[in-house]
Amino acid sequence: MSHSATSTLREAGHKIGPVNVDQVLKDVNILGSLDDKTRKILNKDAIVFLAVLHRTFNGTRKALLQRRVIRQAELDKGNLLDFLPETKHVRENDAWRGPPPAPGLVDRRTEITGPTDRKMVVNALNADVWTYMADFEDSSAPTWDNMINGQVNLYDAIRKQVDFKQGEKEYKLRTDRKLPTLIARARGWHLEEKHMTVDGEPISGSLFDFGLYFFNNAEELVNRGTGPYYYLPKMESHLEARLWNDVFNLAQDYIGMRRGTIRGTVLIETIPAAFEMDEIIYELRDHSAGLNCGRWDYIFSVIKRFRQNPDFVLPDRSSVTMTVPFMDAYVKLLIKTCHRRGVHAMGGMAAQIPIKNDAEANEKAMDGVRADKLREVRAGHDGTWVAHPALASIANEVFNTHMPTPNQMHVRREDVHITANDLLNMNVPGKITEEGIRKNLNIGLGYMEGWLRGVGCVPINYLMEDAATAEVSRSQLWQWVKHGAPTSEGKKVDKAYALRLLHEQTEELEKNAPKGNKYQVAAKYFATQVTGEDYAEFLTSLLYNEITNVSDKTPAAKL
Ligand SMILES: CC(=O)SCCNC(=O)CCNC(=O)[C@H](O)C(C)(C)COP(=O)(O)OP(=O)(O)OC[C@H]1O[C@@H](n2cnc3c(N)ncnc32)[C@H](O)[C@@H]1OP(=O)(O)O
Ligand SMILES: O=CC(=O)O
Ligand SMILES: [Mg+2]
């Protein structure tokens, strides 16, 4: 796209502009390196658009993050959460609905998810699935290269120009059928993208991911029969959804696109958001593509938000299943709410992945995935997630058998009545064991070690581990030490015990890892997080500086 000193980007239909490019670009810096390919994506017009987003919305974003801090202070005093009295009218009004599903989103029974590196993009689009969530979030470490090249890969994939060769292997998009609908997951409101600054501040990771994908592809996607679709992670209130809606409106107006063309599926993956499901759909209204049960972040959020409260201490991670009372209540409420409002209620991610060298263990793992998908379809979910192409056939088989229609929005779940007590019912059977502690340490260390090398999703003990699952492990360790939880072996989990096991696990992992691994760095950070004292809001924010080398002295790229 060309630019001029006064660019309207598109003369026809736009409502915002004309924009004085030189003026907007004043005090905008790109601190990450650019080559010919990335420069095409992060072109001047795109940068102008991102700067407009930043200047319009960053103040609100920061104020909303501050609201999280204020709410946390209330919870730290022992207060609980409840449905909001001020939005009762939204919940009780039966008259409003979300929009009908957008093109390409009517049937989304099996969604594959994964990071946006070129190989994974091709493999995901070739998988036997209906939709593909291309992930800039939980399964991506946000290095500059990952984020910007991910945008290049999606740009090329949308235009079917993504084929490439790696060694002898050719990666080619299949041509024998329609490709799955693409949905991009932007980073959450809490993350920043340090490689682009506006007026001396880093731009929000959400606005960067959303904006670049939108600006470069929205029109192309519509021309190809779908649209600019997103997954929106880690929100904590309907006001954060309102901010997304405002962003969507501005973006569509900016390029002259009909409002309501963008669609966002919101992950309900924080405990405060579970109390505002109706309100979140209401805020996004014409842009809503439903809600999703982001189970891993949800467990993380329950522990995080109530970490000072001894009533919320949970047993070993493996005991916190989808059928324990608080998880069951959350699933049921989500499905009921979505279907009442005519939008999709998406299921989530079973962590099992294929085990290649042990047929028996593999069968057991696949049975676990099958059981999870069966529970989801029977509960009324309209679709589910798979972490790996080899799991698509299992999800398809279960959903094809039990969901003959493209979705099951007609399943209204009037039988379900979920109260605040149900959402907060921590009656979870199970024990805290030394094995559970060691597993959490291995997951935390293993995940952080990969993340520090730029890998955002790793297999550990034949389970998919990503930013959300690692947070569950980290938060459990913190919580157990904080509350001096007893183990089934008769020990009290305290700081000395946690640090001793951390040391042992680090040694063990390092012994078997290639030279140049990052276990020592991971352990240094993890040690600050598992002693019941400091608790970073997010591991990814805590570690971010380790994967960026941006400073005041970094020269800006020439625009
Ligand atoms: C809590 C949440 O947010 S869940 C959502 C976020 N998490 C995810 O999206 C999980 C994504 N999954 C993955 O990253 C991977 O499946 C892992 C890391 C768990 C396992 O990866 P690997 O060890 O490489 O698996 P494996 O060796 O079996 O892969 C076989 C092939 O499938 C490909 N593959 C595996 N998972 C995916 C995927 N999700 N999308 C596309 N391709 C995939 C691999 O690239 C590999 O391709 P190749 O044969 O061309 O080299
Ligand atoms: O994003 C999904 C989750 O489970 O977390
Ligand atoms: Mg998540």
Side-chain angles (χ1 to χ4, degrees), residues 113-114 119-120 123 138 169 171 185 356 387-389 464 466:
T113 68
K119 179 173 96 166
M120 299 285 256
N123 284 340
D138 282 339
K169 193 162 174 182
Y171 288 87
R185 179 159 72 170
K356 288 169 199 151
H388 189 289
M464 178 251 11
D466 70 2

Side-chain angles (χ1 to χ4, degrees), residues 137-138 185 233-234 267 269 294 296-297 468:
E137 213 245 347
D138 282 339
R185 179 159 72 170
K234 294 185 177 55
L267 287 132
E269 54 181 356
W296 295 103
D297 267 309

Side-chain angles (χ1 to χ4, degrees), residues 218-236:
E219 198 181 308
E220 185 72 24
L221 285 160
V222 170
N223 290 341
R224 288 175 184 266
T226 62
Y229 303 147
Y230 294 89
Y231 258 109
L232 307 173
K234 294 185 177 55
M235 273 192 259
E236 301 226 353

Side-chain angles (χ1 to χ4, degrees), residues 280-305:
I280 286 171
I281 301 171
Y282 185 78
E283 291 295 342
L284 283 164
R285 206 92 64 82
D286 291 343
H287 297 119
S288 174
L291 305 178
N292 168 298
C293 278
R295 64 179 74 170
W296 295 103
D297 267 309
Y298 192 72
I299 299 169
F300 160 46
S301 175
V302 169
I303 302 170
K304 169 160 87 173
R305 290 285 165 250

Side-chain angles (χ1 to χ4, degrees), residues 6-27:
T6 306
S7 166
T8 53
L9 305 166
R10 174 117 40 102
E11 296 301 334
H14 84 278
K15 292 187 192 155
I16 294 178
V19 170
N20 184 318
V21 170
D22 291 334
Q23 201 169 339
V24 174
L25 286 181
K26 202 164 153 303
D27 296 321

